[in-house]
Amino acid sequence: MQKNTADGNIRPLAIGLIILAGLIRVIQNVNFAPVGALSLFCGARLRGWQAYFLPLALMAVTDPFLGGYSVATPLIYASFMVNVWIGTRLRKTESPLWIGSAAVAGSVQFFLLTNFAWLAGSSMYPHTLAGVMKCYAAGLEFFGRTLASDIVYAGVLFGLHAWLSRTVVRSERVAVQVSVA
């Protein structure tokens, strides 16, 4: 027996958008990937193990085709799990301000964790304050692209979901909390 999507168990629209974002990751050839936004979206629109499993599965399946693994891989994956957790705070909202803020928070934590992984796991930078500063400064270029891609793809995923859940798959409509000021 199939469970109702209103209780959060089966969400074909959300899963379809996640698969679309996964395909975009594979075909994009610049460092402008949807994985951070996809992780936020999974946390916001899926429940339980699915929210955490799908971003990890996407990375595990596509990484071998896109350059493999590195010393930073465990913290990259952990960072996407943090994004899923951040996304769980968006479950009852479609607010562009909250979604954009979550995308920025996800980008910042990704930058901090993954650059720390490079610093700690390689001899590329000395393990001194100057080495830390050099490592994070070198990552700023990548942070800009991460931030831009997280904001753009979060807007696309959450926006498409909001539109399609109002017009096509109404069973996935988000029960938005109304706050009284």
Side-chain angles (χ1 to χ4, degrees):
M1 176 181 216
Q2 195 173 20
K3 293 187 179 180
N4 183 355
T5 58
D7 68 8
N9 289 321
I10 298 173
R11 297 185 165 275
L13 174 59
I15 292 172
L17 291 170
I18 291 162
I19 291 168
L20 176 64
L23 292 172
I24 291 169
R25 178 174 194 248
V26 173
I27 62 172
Q28 59 97 18
N29 62 359
V30 294
N31 191 12
F32 199 80
V35 184
L38 177 141
S39 299
L40 282 175
F41 184 75
C42 283
R45 300 298 178 253
L46 299 178
R47 302 294 184 266
W49 67 270
Q50 290 176 339
Y52 290 91
F53 175 75
L54 288 173
L56 288 177
L58 168 70
M59 294 297 292
V61 168
T62 59
D63 272 351
F65 300 107
L66 299 173
Y69 304 99
S70 71
V71 67
T73 297
L75 279 180
I76 290 170
Y77 285 32
S79 178
F80 290 132
M81 296 300 93
V82 172
N83 271 9
V84 171
W85 179 82
I86 292 169
T88 64
R89 279 42 192 165
L90 302 173
R91 285 190 176 152
K92 295 191 186 280
T93 187
E94 291 180 331
S95 165
L97 180 61
W98 282 107
I99 293 166
S101 297
V104 170
S107 296
V108 169
Q109 68 82 20
F110 182 84
F111 171 75
L112 294 173
L113 279 176
T114 58
N115 278 280
F116 176 77
W118 276 111
L119 177 69
S122 76
S123 59
M124 184 182 265
Y125 300 100
H127 296 175
T128 63
L129 181 57
V132 170
M133 300 307 286
K134 194 174 191 175
C135 178
Y136 281 99
L140 284 175
E141 172 189 350
F142 300 102
F143 172 69
R145 286 184 275 190
T146 298
L147 179 63
S149 65
D150 285 350
I151 290 170
V152 167
Y153 285 119
V156 168
L157 287 169
F158 283 92
L160 277 173
H161 187 269
W163 175 59
L164 291 171
S165 68
R166 285 178 174 84
T167 59
V168 179
V169 188
R170 295 176 193 267
S171 62
E172 286 194 39
R173 181 82 172 98
V174 172
V176 178
Q177 290 179 335
V178 178
S179 60
V180 179

